[in-house]
Amino acid sequence: MMSNTGENQAQAEKIKGYYRFQSGIYDLTRWSFLFGRSAILKALPFAYEEPFHLLEVGCGTGRNLALAAKLFPEAKLTGMDVSADMLALASKRTKHQKRTILLEQPYESQYYSWTNKLDVILFSYSLTMINPQWRSLIAQAYKDLRPGGIIAVVDFHDSQVPAFKNHMANHHVRMDGHLLPELEAHFYSEYQEVKTAYRGLWQYVLYVGRKV
Ligand SMILES: C[S@@+](CC[C@H](N)C(=O)[O-])C[C@H]1O[C@@H](n2cnc3c(N)ncnc32)[C@H](O)[C@@H]1O
């Protein structure tokens, strides 16, 4: 059996390889299927309680960090990702955002110790790609949030079309309705919605939970 660190490294290497090419077409293509990314930021109950510190785990090309900077001009924003190719694009996109920092590393306990607990942790289409560690990342988010802090997740939920699930598995995405029960087990649910895409080809989930 692989150790946690070995598993994390293997996952990170696989993803880095995947995004070496995909980073070049990411922003051109993902708007057509990564639904709910703006909606999850707009659903944050922190909008009028600035300043706060938001971490996005798997920030990719910085699309959400750029929108968060507009929505929450006082917020401190941290983006974390394992892919240097994705982060290079995020860095270009956020270079004028003074309160944004980017970290190239996987999200796991031994890598980072926050000086202060976080107010918001966002996972936008990252958890379904972090296999098999997605469960320990949710537990880590619980530890890193302050009491009353918010976890916000938007991601693929499930599909009743096996061929589509297989196709997504080939792109490192697991969609088995597995995230929602684990989120509900850790957090007090403030908002959750499962929506359908392309006439039911798949469902995606929006979840906002509070650490109590
Ligand atoms: C589908 S993209 C989502 C990017 C962005 N959040 C968005 O909504 O456009 C998934 C991102 O998660 C990152 N990722 C995958 N595994 C990770 C890990 N263990 N730690 C941090 N980031 C990871 C990938 O490199 C990729 O940039």
Side-chain angles (χ1 to χ4, degrees), residues 152-171:
V153 177
V154 60
D155 215 322
F156 295 107
H157 178 62
D158 208 345
S159 170
Q160 278 66 56
V161 182
F164 182 70
K165 275 194 181 192
N166 285 343
H167 167 75
M168 294 307 284
N170 289 334
H171 290 267

Side-chain angles (χ1 to χ4, degrees), residues 8-152:
N8 292 342
Q9 274 169 3
Q11 188 268 344
E13 288 309 316
K14 202 169 57 180
I15 293 294
K16 281 188 219 177
Y18 177 71
Y19 280 112
R20 218 154 276 146
F21 167 71
Q22 291 287 333
S23 57
I25 56 166
Y26 189 86
D27 288 322
L28 284 174
T29 51
R30 269 34 177 207
W31 62 269
S32 63
F33 58 96
L34 299 187
F35 299 127
R37 291 183 294 170
S38 301
I40 198 70
L41 282 173
K42 290 175 184 164
L44 286 180
F46 276 96
Y48 303 103
E49 292 177 37
E50 299 184 68
F52 59 85
H53 185 184
L54 177 150
L55 165 70
E56 181 176 7
V57 177
C59 63
T61 59
R63 183 252 181 220
N64 300 324
L65 293 174
L67 177 59
K70 280 194 194 130
L71 291 173
F72 316 121
E74 300 299 321
K76 177 178 167 190
L77 304 172
T78 301
M80 188 179 278
D81 206 289
V82 290
S83 163
D85 297 290
M86 294 294 262
L87 282 173
L89 296 167
S91 174
K92 265 194 201 158
R93 194 180 229 155
T94 61
K95 68 176 180 236
H96 300 300
Q97 292 175 209
K98 287 199 187 85
R99 278 172 304 275
T100 302
I101 62 164
L102 299 174
L103 303 170
E104 184 184 338
Q105 59 193 52
Y107 181 54
E108 53 181 301
S109 54
Q110 65 264 44
Y111 271 87
Y112 216 83
S113 154
W114 304 100
T115 320
N116 295 308
K117 296 265 182 190
L118 298 162
D119 300 299
V120 185
I121 300 181
L122 169 67
F123 292 91
S124 167
Y125 288 95
S126 53
L127 275 176
T128 50
M129 288 195 100
I130 304 179
N131 299 307
Q133 305 94 330
W134 58 274
R135 191 178 270 120
S136 64
L137 266 71
I138 292 173
Q140 188 60 41
Y142 184 87
K143 285 187 201 147
D144 287 340
L145 283 168
R146 67 165 169 80
I150 292 288
I151 187 168

Side-chain angles (χ1 to χ4, degrees), residues 156-196:
F156 295 107
H157 178 62
D158 208 345
S159 170
Q160 278 66 56
V161 182
F164 182 70
K165 275 194 181 192
N166 285 343
H167 167 75
M168 294 307 284
N170 289 334
H171 290 267
H172 309 290
V173 173
R174 177 180 169 195
M175 41 198 308
D176 284 323
H178 56 297
L179 298 180
L180 201 46
E182 191 69 15
L183 290 164
E184 288 172 321
H186 282 81
F187 297 94
Y188 172 79
S189 303
E190 295 258 350
Y191 161 68
Q192 57 174 283
E193 200 169 357
V194 174
K195 296 185 131 191
T196 55

